């Protein structure tokens, strides 16, 4: 039998362990190879993101095989760097998390296998995370306590693979209110950026399109285009094929008439930003009204995913909600722009609750290229 003092010390140790849990997380669902170390005390000890823009720029979009090769090349270095930056060895890591899905199947395999092998070899608990849930929950890590969204909140996820409006009632309960009927909003940013022949810069095609729209040009050199037609007004669903075709129509016309000048590119980039923003605004307002009509009191809207790093969009969505819901105190909450695009910090944070409840995955768990976020609810 243990002496009382020893029992007390053991309890204290257990509660300390519960209070501070350190996760190494890995992410490779698309074209970024990421590793990060985060603690249950909300400390981001490291955040390594290895971009693959140089590999994919010649193809004009993510080349699946090039992405897998790059992940294989970059993952070991990303893990090493994440531990070095955190000034930890593996003995300081309590659990290993990875992106289980959704995403590109063979890309997901890289982070899944690295995480499973590390966890099995070192006898650490393992948690596989839903990528879009991780985007949605990032704000619970990054927002100061007074601004942290309270359930139920609305989540607008805008990334390269998804456009989703979700009613979020807990960390694992997401109900889809609207989704894209064709392509995802980020994918259209990428295609329009490519059609305008913009250099990708280090941040990729979507960010390049935003930079183009922000170029300071004499107004007489930037053509003004009429607003693009509204998309299924009054309907809770997204569609981006129409915006995409409008841009193509403008481009064909200008190519027939003459050169693709910088001024023209800036004009198209601005018209495109406006069209995308108007659609997101309309659907967000519709969803908020629908919630109110159904007696669901929503006080926060979380906007996340790569496209949510767009400054124009962030400002416009915020002022739209402020002006349409005057006096209702609905706040828009974004992660900082560098945590909107893919990263492993969000994967670590989304795994934390399960680690603390000791709900681990088996080392033989399989990754899932398709995984509906609604299926997270147990
Ligand atoms: O969340 P994310 O990094 O990866 C996926 O889960 O898909 O989102 C990537 C998408 C890409 O389509 C990228 O072009 C877009 O986010 N993106 C942007 C910006 N930065 C990244 N779109 C618009 N403006 C940006 N500044
Ligand atoms: Zn993402």
């Amino acid at each position: 039998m243990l002496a009382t003092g020893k029992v007390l010390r053991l309890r204290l140790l257990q509660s300390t362990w519960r209070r501070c849990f350190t996760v190494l997380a890995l992410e490779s669902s698309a074209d970024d190879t990421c590793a990060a170390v985060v603690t249950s005390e909300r400390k981001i000890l490291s955040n390594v993101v290895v971009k693959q823009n140089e590999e994919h720029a010649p193809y004009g979009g993510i080349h699946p095989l090039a992405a897998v090769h790059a992940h294989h090349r970059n993952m070991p270095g990303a893990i090493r760097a994440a531990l070095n930056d955190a000034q930890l060895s593996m003995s300081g890591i309590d659990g290993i998390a990875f992106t289980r899905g959704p995403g590109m199947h063979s890309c997901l395999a890289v982070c899944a296998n690295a995480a499973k092998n590390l966890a099995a070899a070192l006898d650490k608990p393992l948690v596989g995370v839903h990528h879009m849930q991780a985007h949605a929950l990032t704000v619970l890590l990054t927002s100061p306590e007074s601004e942290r969204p309270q359930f139920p909140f609305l989540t607008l996820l805008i990334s390269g693979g998804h456009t989703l409006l979700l009613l979020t009632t807990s960390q694992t309960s997401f109900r889809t209110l609207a989704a894209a009927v064709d392509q995802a909003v980020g994918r259209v940013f990428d295609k329009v950026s490519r059609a305008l022949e913009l250099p990708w810069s280090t941040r990729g095609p979507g960010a390049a399109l935003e930079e183009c729209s922000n170029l300071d040009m004499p107004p007489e050199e930037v053509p003004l285009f009429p607003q693009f037609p509204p998309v299924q007004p009054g309907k809770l669903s997204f569609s981006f094929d129409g915006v995409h075709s409008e841009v193509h129509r403008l481009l064909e016309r200008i190519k027939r008439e003459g050169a693709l000048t910088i001024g023209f590119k800036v004009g198209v980039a601005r018209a495109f930003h406006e069209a995308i923003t108007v659609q997101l605004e309309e659907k967000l307002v519709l969803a908020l009204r629908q919630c109110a009509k159904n007696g669901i009191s929503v006080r926060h809207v979380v906007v996340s995913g790569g496209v949510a790093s767009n400054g124009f969009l962030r400002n416009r969505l915020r002022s739209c909600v402020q002006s349409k819901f005057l006096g209702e105190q609905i706040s828009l909450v974004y992660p900082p722009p560098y945590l909107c695009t893919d990263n492993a910090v969000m994967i670590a944070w989304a795994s934390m609750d399960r680690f603390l409840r000791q709900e681990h995955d088996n080392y033989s768990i399989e990754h899932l290229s398709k995984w509906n976020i609604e299926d997270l609810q147990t």
Side-chain angles (χ1 to χ4, degrees):
M1 218 166 87
L2 287 171
T4 320
K6 274 194 181 160
V7 173
L8 275 179
R9 227 172 306 134
L10 197 67
R11 289 228 176 100
L12 200 67
L13 266 175
Q14 279 172 341
S15 65
T16 311
W17 178 80
R18 267 209 195 101
R19 260 188 283 121
C20 189
F21 192 94
T22 304
V23 173
L24 167 68
L26 311 180
E27 144 73 37
S28 64
S29 62
D31 61 341
D32 295 322
T33 316
C34 317
V37 178
V38 177
T39 75
S40 56
E41 289 175 332
R42 297 170 190 279
K43 289 205 175 80
I44 300 174
L45 299 183
S46 60
N47 175 27
V48 177
V49 179
V50 188
K51 297 267 178 204
Q52 300 180 0
N53 291 325
E54 277 169 22
E55 272 87 351
H56 302 299
Y59 302 104
I62 302 181
H63 187 290
L65 206 58
V68 180
H69 284 304
H71 284 312
H72 279 301
R73 243 188 348 265
N74 297 336
M75 188 56 88
I79 295 174
R80 188 64 260 157
L83 290 166
N84 286 350
D85 292 355
Q87 299 185 317
L88 285 177
S89 66
M90 281 308 289
S91 60
I93 299 294
D94 299 309
I96 298 173
F98 69 99
T99 306
R100 187 181 175 203
M104 296 164 83
H105 197 263
S106 38
C107 289
L108 286 167
V110 179
C111 66
N113 286 333
K116 290 194 283 187
N117 294 338
L118 269 175
L122 299 167
D123 195 20
K124 306 272 183 195
L126 176 78
V127 166
V129 170
H130 192 291
H131 182 89
M132 300 313 289
Q133 178 200 22
H135 273 305
L137 301 183
T138 312
V139 289
L140 299 180
L141 167 68
T142 56
S143 304
E145 200 171 349
S146 58
E147 293 162 28
R148 215 166 281 155
Q150 308 291 316
F151 298 114
F153 54 78
L154 269 196
T155 309
L156 176 63
L157 292 181
I158 39 181
S159 73
H162 295 84
T163 318
L164 290 170
L165 248 174
L166 305 158
L167 177 64
T168 309
T169 48
S170 78
Q171 294 216 7
T172 52
S173 314
F174 297 88
R175 183 148 60 80
T176 307
L177 304 182
V181 294
D182 36 52
Q183 48 189 329
V185 59
R187 201 57 70 229
V188 196
F189 264 93
D190 298 348
K191 288 180 183 170
V192 169
S193 182
R194 197 179 338 147
L196 292 178
E197 299 166 13
L198 300 177
W200 277 27
S201 74
T202 47
R203 289 171 57 220
L209 190 57
E210 181 182 9
E211 278 160 27
C212 176
S213 75
N214 284 336
L215 278 181
D216 195 12
M217 298 276 298
E220 63 278 10
E221 288 178 28
V222 181
L224 275 178
F225 300 107
Q227 266 214 344
F228 293 4
V231 178
Q232 308 181 49
K235 238 185 117 181
L236 254 183
S237 69
F238 299 102
S239 170
F240 299 102
D241 276 358
V243 189
H244 190 201
S245 328
E246 284 291 322
V247 169
H248 265 280
R249 221 172 33 78
L250 291 175
L251 277 171
E252 270 166 28
R253 201 190 72 199
I254 195 70
K255 280 180 182 163
R256 271 199 310 274
E257 287 172 6
L260 196 58
T261 61
I262 293 283
F264 180 87
K265 291 184 187 188
V266 173
V268 172
R270 289 181 187 165
F272 173 78
H273 270 76
E274 181 66 26
I276 294 290
T277 307
V278 165
Q279 183 179 165
L280 295 177
E281 284 173 341
E282 198 240 343
K283 307 305 175 191
L284 179 55
V285 169
L286 261 181
L288 282 168
R289 294 220 164 108
Q290 194 190 74
C291 288
K293 214 167 108 191
N294 294 333
I296 304 165
S297 167
V298 168
R299 289 284 159 264
H300 294 95
V301 178
V302 170
V303 189
S304 191
V307 181
S309 62
N310 187 292
F312 177 80
L313 202 64
R314 289 166 84 96
N315 292 335
R316 276 281 297 270
L317 287 178
R318 178 160 281 140
S319 32
C320 166
V321 169
Q322 271 167 4
S323 65
K324 296 271 178 190
F325 298 91
L326 263 182
E328 290 185 46
Q329 291 179 331
I330 298 177
S331 311
L332 247 77
V333 195
Y334 299 94
Y338 79 100
L339 290 178
C340 284
T341 45
D342 285 350
N343 63 84
V345 168
M346 67 180 193
I347 303 301
W349 185 248
S351 71
M352 202 60 82
D353 199 46
R354 284 191 53 202
F355 276 122
L356 297 181
R357 282 190 283 116
Q358 302 192 24
E359 266 181 32
H360 311 141
D361 286 319
N362 198 287
Y363 294 149
S364 60
I365 186 174
E366 290 183 349
H367 53 283
L368 305 165
S369 57
K370 289 198 188 321
W371 187 5
N372 189 331
I373 195 165
E374 294 186 348
D375 295 341
L376 281 173
Q377 192 161 21
T378 41

